[in-house]
Amino acid sequence: MKKPILIFAMLFAGSFAFAQNTATVSQTGNQNSSTTEQTGSNAASVEQVGSSNAANQDQSGSNTASIVQVGENTTNALTFDNLAIQLQSGQGNVATIEQREQGDSFASQEQVGDGNTATITQRNPWGNPAAPNVAFQIQEGNGNTATLNQFNGGNYSEQSQLGDNNWSLVQQAQSGNQAFHVQEGNSNYAFSGQNAGNQLAIIDQVGDGNIATTRQRGGSVNSVFVEQFGNSNNTGAIPYWGNAGENYGIDQTGNSNLVGLSQQGDFNNHFVRQNGDFNFVDIDVIGNGNSATILQFGNDNEARLIQRGDGHRTTITQTGNMNYANVIQR
């Protein structure tokens, strides 16, 4: 009878040694709340400085999570009424949320799988507090990376990735920006940079190896809609900051510009640059290996492109005001 008892004791000791969770919570201020639930071998850290902040963490497996909500020593206003939620299941996932200065911001991260990384940084420090920042990150699969930087207030972002080794980055400055990234498949790449206020960027990619990068800088009320369904479609560049004179993806400078792009197929490459006000581009592609470059410099220009089939090439350059171009390739 001693041998079974000894085996049970060894198994119990082994499970105790490997299932070690670590949680560290530090709160300064009033009416802060923190809830951490861990199953497996996870590490969690919560630090809240200010008042009425709430942090919720739920981890299963072997993951790392950190929530930081701080206000002191950066501006005169404490962080307050922020809410951060982290849900992780799997192995080797890392989630980080950091909300600073003015409050009322909301951040949520959910990761299922292995080796995913999610990072949210939200700040609302300039002048009087603006509207809250809101951020959602959802990743299911392995090796995905989602990064969000929001500066000032009133910005909204959603990043959703399903598959493996997808990459998404959103950078928002000023106020009133909205960005949505949806990627389903493997090894897709999306970037949206919004350096002025009241910009809208939507990227939806389904397939493998697709690239979409958008830049909106200066002015306001610019809008970009990118849809890519298939494999190895390209509306941008890796890295997103490189070769801006050619493969800039979609680049808008000015006010009230609009780009709509839909690609279905494989190995399509399309690039758009708008510099001015009230310019419009619409691209609709079904096929493989098609490409186009559309440049607009001026105001109230309109360019439309339809490509059906394979291997079509188009270049449209509009310089001046109120120009119109319509290209149909079959």
Side-chain angles (χ1 to χ4, degrees):
M1 294 297 294
K2 290 184 179 181
K3 184 177 293 185
I5 295 176
L6 179 60
I7 293 174
F8 175 79
M10 292 175 64
L11 291 173
F12 179 80
S15 64
F16 182 79
F18 287 103
Q20 295 179 342
N21 294 296
T22 301
T24 302
V25 178
S26 176
Q27 296 175 319
T28 302
N30 303 311
Q31 296 180 327
N32 293 299
S33 67
S34 174
T35 301
T36 300
E37 183 173 344
Q38 298 172 313
T39 303
S41 181
N42 301 285
S45 176
V46 177
E47 178 179 309
Q48 297 176 320
V49 178
S51 300
S52 301
N53 297 296
N56 298 321
Q57 296 172 315
D58 190 339
Q59 297 187 106
S60 175
S62 179
N63 304 292
T64 301
S66 174
I67 295 175
V68 180
Q69 297 174 324
V70 178
E72 283 184 313
N73 299 322
T74 50
T75 68
N76 291 328
L78 295 177
T79 300
F80 60 97
D81 293 335
N82 292 302
L83 173 60
I85 299 174
Q86 293 175 318
L87 305 174
Q88 296 192 115
S89 177
Q91 306 292 323
N93 296 301
V94 177
T96 303
I97 295 174
E98 181 173 335
Q99 297 176 322
R100 292 182 176 269
E101 287 86 47
Q102 308 291 352
D104 293 325
S105 292
F106 175 81
S108 175
Q109 296 172 317
E110 181 177 352
Q111 300 191 118
V112 178
D114 300 332
N116 298 298
T117 301
T119 304
I120 294 175
T121 301
Q122 297 188 137
R123 308 190 69 171
N124 193 355
W126 297 341
N128 295 324
N133 291 305
V134 178
F136 293 89
Q137 292 178 328
I138 300 174
Q139 300 191 118
E140 296 186 19
N142 304 311
N144 297 298
T145 300
T147 304
L148 167 66
N149 298 314
Q150 291 178 324
F151 299 96
N152 213 8
N155 296 300
Y156 184 95
S157 176
E158 292 184 11
Q159 295 165 289
S160 176
Q161 301 191 119
L162 175 62
D164 299 334
N165 301 314
N166 296 297
W167 189 91
S168 169
L169 171 61
V170 175
Q171 294 181 331
Q172 296 174 318
Q174 304 299 333
S175 301
N177 295 299
Q178 297 182 67
F180 301 84
H181 286 184
V182 178
Q183 301 193 116
E184 297 183 18
N186 303 313
S187 301
N188 295 298
Y189 182 101
F191 164 76
S192 291
Q194 298 172 317
N195 297 331
N198 300 312
Q199 316 279 5
L200 172 63
I202 299 176
I203 296 175
D204 186 1
Q205 301 191 118
V206 179
D208 300 333
N210 297 298
I211 302 171
T213 63
T214 67
R215 293 181 179 87
Q216 297 168 309
R217 44 193 174 185
S220 63
V221 200
N222 294 301
S223 300
V224 174
F225 304 89
V226 177
E227 285 186 336
Q228 300 193 127
F229 300 97
N231 303 311
S232 300
N233 295 299
N234 185 8
T235 307
I238 298 178
Y240 64 88
W241 63 86
N243 202 17
E246 183 180 351
N247 296 332
Y248 35 70
I250 297 177
D251 191 322
Q252 294 176 315
T253 302
N255 301 290
S256 301
N257 296 297
L258 174 62
V259 174
L261 185 150
S262 176
Q263 298 190 137
Q264 299 182 43
D266 301 332
F267 300 104
N268 296 298
N269 297 273
H270 291 80
F271 308 103
V272 177
R273 184 175 183 181
Q274 295 175 314
N275 193 326
D277 302 331
F278 299 102
N279 294 297
F280 176 82
V281 171
D282 182 64
I283 300 172
D284 186 358
V285 180
I286 300 177
N288 305 306
N290 299 293
S291 67
T293 298
I294 298 178
L295 309 176
Q296 294 177 319
F297 301 97
N299 305 313
D300 294 294
N301 295 296
E302 181 175 345
R304 297 178 179 270
L305 171 64
I306 296 176
Q307 293 176 320
R308 296 290 186 269
D310 302 334
H312 300 298
R313 303 286 183 269
T314 295
T315 299
I316 299 174
T317 302
Q318 296 173 316
T319 302
N321 302 320
M322 301 183 69
N323 296 296
Y324 176 81
N326 185 23
V327 176
I328 300 175
Q329 297 176 317
R330 302 184 189 279

